[in-house]
Amino acid sequence: MKLFQSLRERLSDLPMGPAPLLVFGVAVVSAGLLFLAPAQRSGANLVFWTFSPDHHNAYLRVVPAFEEAHGVSADVLLVHGTAINQRLSSAFWARANVPDMVEVENTQSGQFFRGPIDQVGFRDLRPWLEASGMLDRIPENRLAPYTHQGRIFGIPHDVHPMMLAYRADLLDPLLEQAGLTIDDLDTWDAYIAFARDHVRPTGRYMLQLEDAAGYNFEPFLYQAGGDFFNADGEVIFDSDLVVETLMWWLPLVAGEDAIAVNFGSWGAPFFRGLEEGDYIMVVAPDWRTAGIERNLPQLSGKMRLMPLPAFGPGGRRTSTWGGTMLGITTATPDPDLAFAFAMHLYADLDILEEKFQTTNILPADRTAWSRPAFQAERPYWQGQRLGAEFAALADDIPVQTGHPFLQLAKDQVGNVVAASVSRWRRQGPEGMEDFVRERLHQAADYVRLQLRRMPDWEAGALPAFEEGQP
Amino acid sequence: MKLNDPKIAPYVFLTPFAVIFSVFIAWPLFRSLLLSFTITSGPGAQVFVGTANYRFLLQDPDFWIAVRNTFTFVFFSLVIQVPLSLGLAMFLNRKGLWMRNALRFAFFSPHLMGLVFASILFTLLFAPRFGLVNEGLHAVTGGHWSMDTRWLSDARRVMPALVMVNLWLYVGYSMIYFLAALQGVDPQLYEAARVDGAGPFARFWNVTIPGIRHVLIFVVVISTIGGFQLFELPWLLLNNTPGPEKSGLTIVMYLYQNGFVSGDLGYASAIGWTLLLLVFCVSALQLKLSGSLRKESMA
């Protein structure tokens, strides 16, 4: 008691009383506790990050079978896409808490391929893909986004062929009035003419397209045979083909003859617009169809899908939008086990079939496409065989060349799209082609400048960048 | 040696701060300065490039777009926010005002909401066709304002939208500072001014403004620094993009994109140090113009 009394007196004698010392003590004790008992790391043999709730739910159902078969444990964690991109980069850089496997969206995947090739945080999966035969089962174009300098850093999760989803209850009567069927809209010229002559007079729009960003232009760019980079990594998005495609796309969304309207991207206005028939069609890669089913169940039996019209007779009737890769990190101590888990998720036919029923996503492994679930008639889509429809287009999807600067290139093109739409709306089509060409050149030169700024990582040499030299 | 010796005790208390400041602030700042002279792809791959990052910055069109947007945001936020906050504070400082405390809380409360929530809220408010902002303007203008107006997807309207959301969030916050300052102005000065025949504007200019001068300068400087650090609001409101035609690209967003999306920590550091220099210059200019850098008279 005396000791306590004396301690109290001594503390009271401190210049600012006992409070600061108490705060300091609490800080020291907390820091000590955190140091001694850091956040628990997963004790599982495999840790797998995915950004998609749909994928996550599907994986959780099938993990126990893998664990049982291999006598290991696997943690599948749902991590927000943005967090994956940034946390994974940081984790690679700091060599800290890197998962064994991770799913990355294809626009972002390129950023992980920057820097010296031997410091990329993902393993080259080519040997495993070849040995397992998986390489032959994946549509060839689907590997492009995840291939860099000849190494395959990711297994494609999907194919994502694109179709048009439409309100059949609204479109069919208009087609009938025009004496046409949906098969007659097989080229964009026929499609646009029908939209202008028969749909716009009703006050509805034919299509929903985001016009303030580039992501609804990209599928058309790919369909037309354009790309952001070529196989040698050179910037090509200011080519004549891209100028022509953008000049073709702009009057779809701008000007008096526009047939498309912008209801935003995948939010409440988007769904309300489709429900109320403000627009009739929406570009629909396979993954979007499940979202439409979920968000608009009241449209069941009223929706159908059609292939994209081609740019010319006999041309490509599809494109692609989005995509996910599964990468195995260099940090994993057992890459064979990780690849076995990847195959369990991506190549087990029962699992792929079950996953398709909830996500509508066509898997990259073509052997699954003939399974019953892919041939089933879907009441929501007026009995269309969704899997078969998408599978029929899968081998026609265009190449999306991967590149460490792909995101930058897409952002640049998106800005040109937005600027061109604004200009068309303000000033009309006069001088538009020159404007588009000049803006695309500027945007491409900017990406080239950024590329020239990068050092030769392998040689550790200074960048080629010189002041005033774009 | 006794720890409670007045000569030693201050150093004992300063030590934790000094250690934490050195480890978590000073050292990273020094490292970021070194980083700004390199091009990186994560810490594992660095090449020393001297001042190339800074030279590139000067001719990087995106950086100048970010500078222009940031200055525009700071300017309009200040020009509108400060007078509005002060006016509101003066209004809510009136004695006998009905529901005065409730109104004060109502105007301050937006600041209590997180930026994420505010961004989600305003994404819906700004929506074309259904958004309340368009509906309100449509009603007020007797139908002249188009319901199709795109606030967040039209490059010309992105900045006004950002300024509006910023005002909604921070006018009440600045108002609290002004309210506190107004309550510190001696009422007798107003009485004396009134007796001397000063009108409302003269009383405001000669009594109120000098009385709250220090708080006014504080609010202006803090708002300026906050404006230069603008990131989360456009990032969330524009769906993790710089917006159409980069109309929402700010300096900090550009730093973030380069450092944490592109992985070029060196260039991001160069942007960060340039931002520091800009903020320092603008704040010093503000303090100089306001006379705050003059030494207080000892008389």
Side-chain angles (χ1 to χ4, degrees):
Chain A
M1 197 63 190
K2 255 188 172 180
L3 182 71
F4 180 69
Q5 192 81 18
S6 150
L7 188 67
R8 242 183 107 172
E9 279 169 16
R10 288 182 75 118
L11 284 175
S12 307
D13 288 344
L14 286 170
M16 282 173 279
L21 193 65
L22 187 68
V23 171
F24 180 59
V26 169
V28 169
V29 170
S30 323
L33 285 174
L34 283 173
F35 183 74
L36 292 171
Q40 287 281 313
R41 282 189 177 195
S42 171
N45 300 91
L46 288 171
V47 176
F48 176 30
W49 290 358
T50 180
F51 63 88
S52 161
D54 285 344
H55 298 190
H56 183 246
N57 289 336
Y59 297 151
L60 286 183
R61 286 197 294 275
V62 300
V63 165
F66 178 80
E67 290 177 322
E68 201 175 318
H70 289 78
V72 295
S73 56
D75 256 0
V76 181
L77 304 175
L78 181 64
V79 182
H80 192 276
T82 309
I84 281 195
N85 297 330
Q86 267 104 69
R87 282 190 58 194
L88 191 61
S89 296
S90 307
F92 280 147
W93 298 340
R95 297 181 182 86
N97 207 15
V98 180
D100 300 280
M101 306 156 69
V102 61
E103 281 186 338
V104 184
E105 208 271 334
N106 69 3
T107 301
Q108 274 82 42
S109 58
Q111 79 186 54
F112 296 103
F113 310 153
R114 286 192 183 187
I117 192 79
D118 58 356
Q119 286 191 25
V120 172
F122 291 112
R123 286 177 187 273
D124 177 10
L125 297 176
R126 187 182 288 278
W128 281 278
L129 288 169
E130 280 174 351
S132 64
M134 184 70 173
L135 199 60
D136 302 324
R137 305 202 297 271
I138 299 171
E140 194 183 345
N141 286 351
R142 210 54 194 160
L143 288 164
Y146 317 122
T147 304
H148 184 58
Q149 295 188 20
R151 304 188 193 191
I152 301 172
F153 290 114
I155 310 168
H157 165 269
D158 40 55
V159 185
H160 291 338
M162 179 183 277
M163 301 181 79
L164 292 173
Y166 65 96
R167 287 282 303 271
D169 59 324
L170 301 179
L171 190 71
D172 288 349
L174 297 175
L175 283 167
E176 201 177 317
Q177 278 173 24
L180 298 169
T181 69
I182 198 75
D183 294 334
D184 292 317
L185 307 184
D186 56 351
T187 64
W188 282 114
D189 285 345
Y191 179 93
I192 292 166
F194 171 75
R196 284 184 180 144
D197 296 343
H198 300 280
V199 178
R200 286 299 294 128
T202 66
R204 302 184 199 279
Y205 285 90
M206 184 69 159
L207 195 56
Q208 136 73 28
L209 288 175
E210 171 63 71
D211 55 26
Y215 58 81
N216 272 176
F217 168 65
E218 288 162 22
F220 300 96
L221 169 70
Y222 286 126
Q223 189 195 5
D227 206 336
F228 293 87
F229 296 90
N230 63 18
D232 296 327
E234 293 166 337
V235 178
I236 55 166
F237 66 76
D238 56 347
S239 65
D240 286 345
L241 176 66
V242 180
V243 174
E244 285 164 20
T245 309
L246 185 50
M247 283 303 296
W248 167 84
W249 188 85
L250 284 170
L252 300 184
V253 298
E256 287 178 5
D257 290 335
I259 61 163
V261 65
N262 178 10
F263 271 78
S265 57
W266 210 242
F270 175 94
F271 291 113
R272 190 168 150 179
L274 184 58
E275 184 188 2
E276 296 192 350
D278 292 315
Y279 62 88
I280 292 175
M281 289 200 186
V282 51
V283 286
D286 50 3
W287 55 269
R288 256 193 165 188
T289 58
I292 292 170
E293 288 174 15
R294 257 199 316 273
N295 285 284
L296 293 170
Q298 61 273 39
L299 293 187
S300 180
K302 296 178 179 175
M303 297 291 296
R304 281 186 73 83
L305 289 158
M306 65 171 280
L308 295 187
F311 277 101
R316 190 198 306 271
R317 298 289 307 267
T318 189
S319 184
T320 185
W321 177 9
T324 300
M325 68 163 233
L326 186 157
I328 295 176
T329 64
T330 51
T332 188
D334 191 346
D336 293 327
L337 181 68
F339 189 78
F341 189 38
M343 287 298 97
H344 179 71
L345 301 175
Y346 278 27
D348 184 297
L349 299 183
D350 291 336
I351 290 170
L352 293 180
E353 199 172 10
E354 188 189 334
K355 215 164 70 173
F356 176 75
Q357 285 168 326
T358 53
T359 64
N360 290 356
I361 292 174
L362 194 72
D365 186 343
R366 66 172 71 246
T367 49
W369 303 346
S370 54
R371 301 279 286 204
F374 295 86
Q375 309 301 322
E377 293 181 353
R378 305 288 282 268
Y380 190 93
W381 303 96
Q382 294 194 342
Q384 278 184 296
R385 296 181 304 131
L386 211 63
E389 299 268 358
F390 280 117
L393 299 168
D395 283 316
D396 273 347
I397 63 154
V399 177
Q400 300 168 285
T401 306
H403 193 279
F405 282 76
L406 182 60
Q407 179 71 64
L408 178 69
K410 286 190 172 187
D411 290 346
Q412 292 295 319
V413 170
N415 284 314
V416 176
V417 170
S420 303
V421 171
S422 291
R423 189 189 180 280
W424 189 301
R425 289 201 174 119
R426 281 199 305 269
Q427 299 175 31
E430 193 81 9
M432 201 65 215
E433 186 167 342
D434 290 340
F435 177 84
V436 165
R437 193 177 297 280
E438 186 189 331
R439 285 300 187 98
L440 281 172
H441 274 315
Q442 284 173 358
D445 280 345
Y446 182 70
V447 179
R448 291 186 185 110
L449 183 63
Q450 289 283 3
L451 286 172
R452 289 161 62 90
R453 206 171 70 78
M454 289 296 111
D456 180 345
W457 292 111
E458 319 308 331
L462 284 173
F465 160 71
E466 286 169 32
E467 207 168 344
Q469 299 285 312
Chain B
M1 189 177 74
K2 286 185 175 178
L3 287 179
N4 61 354
D5 182 336
K7 284 183 183 167
I8 295 173
Y11 298 103
V12 173
F13 287 121
L14 277 175
T15 303
F17 165 77
V19 170
I20 290 169
F21 179 81
S22 304
V23 172
F24 294 108
I25 308 278
W27 175 245
L29 275 176
F30 176 68
R31 284 285 299 154
S32 79
L33 186 61
L34 293 184
L35 263 179
S36 72
F37 298 110
T38 66
I39 288 180
T40 69
S41 180
Q46 290 185 11
V47 175
F48 181 77
V49 293
T51 57
N53 282 334
Y54 290 96
R55 284 187 287 118
F56 182 75
L57 197 66
L58 293 177
Q59 67 173 82
D60 180 350
D62 278 16
F63 175 71
W64 290 109
I65 290 172
V67 169
R68 187 192 66 202
N69 289 343
T70 307
F71 270 89
T72 307
F73 176 82
V74 169
F75 177 77
F76 282 106
S77 293
L78 279 182
V79 163
I80 303 172
Q81 182 183 318
V82 172
L84 208 58
S85 302
L86 182 55
L88 209 54
M90 290 173 68
F91 174 69
L92 294 176
N93 198 36
R94 289 166 56 184
K95 282 179 185 156
L97 183 70
W98 184 68
M99 289 180 65
R100 189 166 71 154
N101 287 338
L103 285 171
R104 285 177 181 180
F105 178 72
F107 282 110
F108 177 70
S109 59
H111 182 69
L112 300 175
M113 290 186 197
L115 272 172
V116 175
F117 181 81
S119 301
I120 293 169
L121 185 69
F122 273 89
T123 303
L124 295 173
L125 291 177
F126 282 133
R129 294 183 190 88
F130 320 114
L132 270 182
V133 174
N134 279 342
E135 285 207 19
L137 289 168
H138 187 76
V140 166
T141 57
H144 289 294
W145 184 269
S146 169
M147 287 295 291
D148 281 342
T149 304
R150 301 145 191 249
W151 286 93
L152 302 177
S153 55
D154 181 335
R156 291 170 305 165
R157 293 201 174 86
V158 167
M159 191 52 71
L162 290 176
V163 171
M164 275 167 65
V165 182
N166 190 64
L167 290 176
W168 185 78
L169 279 166
Y170 293 111
V171 161
Y173 181 68
S174 304
M175 175 199 77
I176 292 294
Y177 284 108
F178 287 130
L179 261 178
L182 286 171
Q183 285 162 17
V185 180
D186 187 351
Q188 288 185 345
L189 292 174
Y190 288 107
E191 281 304 314
R194 200 171 276 124
V195 169
D196 288 344
F201 180 77
R203 287 201 300 276
F204 171 76
W205 194 251
N206 295 307
V207 179
T208 306
I209 292 293
I212 64 166
R213 182 169 155 266
H214 291 294
V215 171
L216 184 63
I217 293 166
F218 172 78
V219 168
V220 167
V221 171
I222 289 295
S223 301
T224 303
I225 293 172
F228 273 104
Q229 292 174 342
L230 180 71
F231 168 62
E232 301 98 318
L233 190 61
W235 188 248
L236 295 166
L237 214 52
L238 300 171
N239 200 19
N240 297 3
T241 72
E245 299 178 59
K246 300 171 193 166
S247 50
L249 182 69
T250 65
I251 299 175
V252 178
M253 190 191 288
Y254 193 50
L255 181 158
Y256 176 82
Q257 283 186 322
N258 276 282
F260 298 98
V261 178
S262 304
D264 190 351
L265 297 173
Y267 192 51
S269 298
I271 296 170
W273 280 96
T274 308
L275 174 65
L276 178 81
L277 192 68
L278 276 174
V279 172
F280 178 80
C281 290
V282 171
S283 300
L285 186 69
Q286 283 176 335
L287 292 173
K288 169 95 177 152
L289 291 176
S290 64
S292 296
L293 294 179
R294 282 197 298 269
K295 281 187 180 170
E296 295 282 341
S297 166
M298 297 297 285

